[in-house]
Amino acid sequence: MGRSRPRRLLAALVGALLVAGCARAPQSILDPAGPVARAQYRLFTFDVAMVTGIGVVMAFLILYAVFRFRRRGSAGGLPPQVDGNRRLEIGWTLAAVLVLIPLAVEPIKDEFALAAPPPGQDVLQVRVVGHQWWWEFEYPDLGIVTANELHIPTGQPVQLTITSADVLHSFWVPRLGGKMDAVPGRQNKLWLQADEPGTYLGQCAELCGTSHANMRLRVIAQTAAEFEAWVRTRQNPVTQPQSDLAARGQAKFQQTCAACHTVDGTPAKGKVGPNLTGVGSRTTIAAGMLQNTDENLARWLQNPPAVKPGALMPNLNLKKEEIEALVAYLRGLK
């Protein structure tokens, strides 16, 4: 009975590890979905294989030495010493150099390829700005600014120019490649590409304050036709309220929110918070924390810091009917 319990615990632990290993993690570098991520995955697995091989060989040599040269019987005194043996010292130094050469040489090609600008002429330019705690995406050639959800076409390289408006952040979408620091006053470059349509999750990878863990983002990869349709919609957004309730929400928005937020095609030109043009068509709000539903948007408007600790958007003490009107207006912005 005494021996069976540890065995059952060990079996349960091994089983839990196996089950965990079978789960598909949405933010894993082990499931690359683009050429940049695949190159990084190749380097990672090569290094892991090399280091594992070195570790196994070294463990074997250590165990061999321990058992082969252990003290036996009544033998006393020190065994023969090899200190100062020039042949041995040169031999194991050369062996270490020969082992390390592949680790130094193999990554060079991929390192230069990833550091260079993306291949081809058809490159989508996007400027990325990290804020506490959300992401701003600007498409300078398309005249589009959005937040937290980056739309890209599949099969086309995307050149990201990354900076920060306040503190140090780090842009990271594991399945597409990265990551790159967002540093105030600096313009760091990173490119990525998605092979297939889908939603790829990412988030800030640099501790940046109270809601660092809630500074999430989504890369929405679309076919070329879908992306063109999204661009046309964003360049000609719906800005007029579709109901009396939404019209009251628009009036309240201009009175209370326009100083901090922009809605293209309206007098709202604030730059403090995220650009809300087309916010009604986004899948999430609060930098990926909540699904974009009427209920969640109302919850957010009621008291942002209660939803997202440290949120810089204050509690505006809105009345219930004001929140309902704002929800109707914002959800209608497509």
Side-chain angles (χ1 to χ4, degrees):
M1 184 70 180
R3 292 182 177 179
S4 62
R5 185 174 181 181
R7 289 176 180 173
R8 287 199 297 268
L9 290 175
L10 179 61
L13 178 61
V14 172
L17 291 174
L18 290 174
V19 171
C22 294
R24 184 172 184 178
Q27 291 182 236
S28 173
I29 63 170
L30 304 181
D31 188 17
V36 175
R38 275 196 298 276
Q40 294 170 342
Y41 174 76
R42 187 165 55 246
L43 290 174
F44 172 75
T45 52
F46 175 78
D47 286 352
V48 169
M50 287 292 296
V51 172
T52 301
I54 294 171
V56 169
V57 171
M58 294 305 298
F60 172 79
L61 292 177
I62 290 172
L63 291 174
Y64 174 79
V66 167
F67 289 101
R68 172 68 176 82
F69 301 106
R70 70 186 186 279
R71 182 190 293 269
R72 290 184 176 83
S74 59
L78 292 173
Q81 300 299 294
V82 296
D83 183 46
N85 187 317
R86 186 168 297 177
R87 289 184 178 179
L88 277 178
E89 291 181 353
I90 293 176
W92 59 50
T93 300
L94 286 177
V97 170
L98 291 175
V99 169
L100 291 176
I101 284 177
L103 281 172
V105 173
E106 175 62 22
I108 290 179
K109 180 181 177 182
D110 286 330
E111 293 280 0
F112 277 95
L114 296 179
Q121 301 295 320
D122 189 18
V123 177
L124 178 66
Q125 300 289 334
V126 178
R127 182 172 181 265
V128 180
V129 184
H131 300 259
Q132 288 181 313
W133 290 272
W134 57 280
W135 295 97
E136 178 181 356
F137 302 121
E138 178 183 4
Y139 301 73
D141 298 331
L142 303 175
I144 294 173
V145 179
T146 187
N148 301 319
E149 294 186 357
L150 174 64
H151 288 250
I152 64 172
T154 55
Q156 181 177 346
V158 181
Q159 174 75 73
L160 304 176
T161 302
I162 302 172
T163 187
S164 170
D166 38 50
V167 300
L168 188 65
H169 301 283
S170 185
F171 179 92
W172 191 30
V173 185
R175 292 194 63 204
L176 297 182
K179 59 198 167 195
M180 181 60 70
D181 283 348
V183 183
R186 293 189 60 177
Q187 309 286 323
N188 289 333
K189 300 286 187 179
L190 171 72
W191 71 275
L192 51 79
Q193 180 177 318
D195 293 333
E196 301 292 338
T199 299
Y200 302 93
L201 304 183
Q203 67 181 81
C204 179
E206 187 72 41
L207 183 61
C208 58
T210 306
S211 257
H212 157 69
N214 297 319
M215 189 173 170
R216 307 169 191 173
L217 66 108
R218 293 177 176 227
V219 176
I220 300 174
Q222 300 168 295
T223 64
E226 291 171 341
F227 179 73
E228 288 299 324
W230 176 80
V231 170
R232 287 194 299 272
T233 300
R234 283 292 284 104
Q235 290 175 334
N236 301 281
V238 175
T239 59
Q240 294 304 311
Q242 304 299 307
S243 66
D244 292 341
L245 181 62
R248 293 197 294 275
Q250 184 186 40
K252 185 63 182 177
F253 185 89
Q254 294 299 331
Q255 176 189 354
T256 307
C257 313
C260 293
H261 296 282
T262 290
V263 176
D264 294 344
T266 77
K269 300 296 181 186
K271 302 294 184 184
V272 177
N275 186 309
L276 296 180
T277 310
V279 67
S281 60
R282 293 176 193 166
T283 61
T284 61
I285 58 174
M289 280 192 69
L290 304 172
Q291 292 298 312
N292 191 4
T293 65
D294 290 2
E295 294 75 15
N296 285 335
L297 186 53
R299 180 185 164 201
W300 172 258
L301 291 171
Q302 187 175 26
N303 189 357
V307 177
K308 188 173 186 175
L312 300 184
M313 179 174 167
N315 182 353
L316 300 174
N317 296 308
L318 297 168
K319 299 176 182 176
K320 182 180 179 182
E321 56 271 24
E322 293 174 331
I323 292 176
E324 292 175 350
L326 283 168
V327 169
Y329 172 61
L330 293 171
R331 293 280 288 161
L333 296 176
K334 303 291 186 179

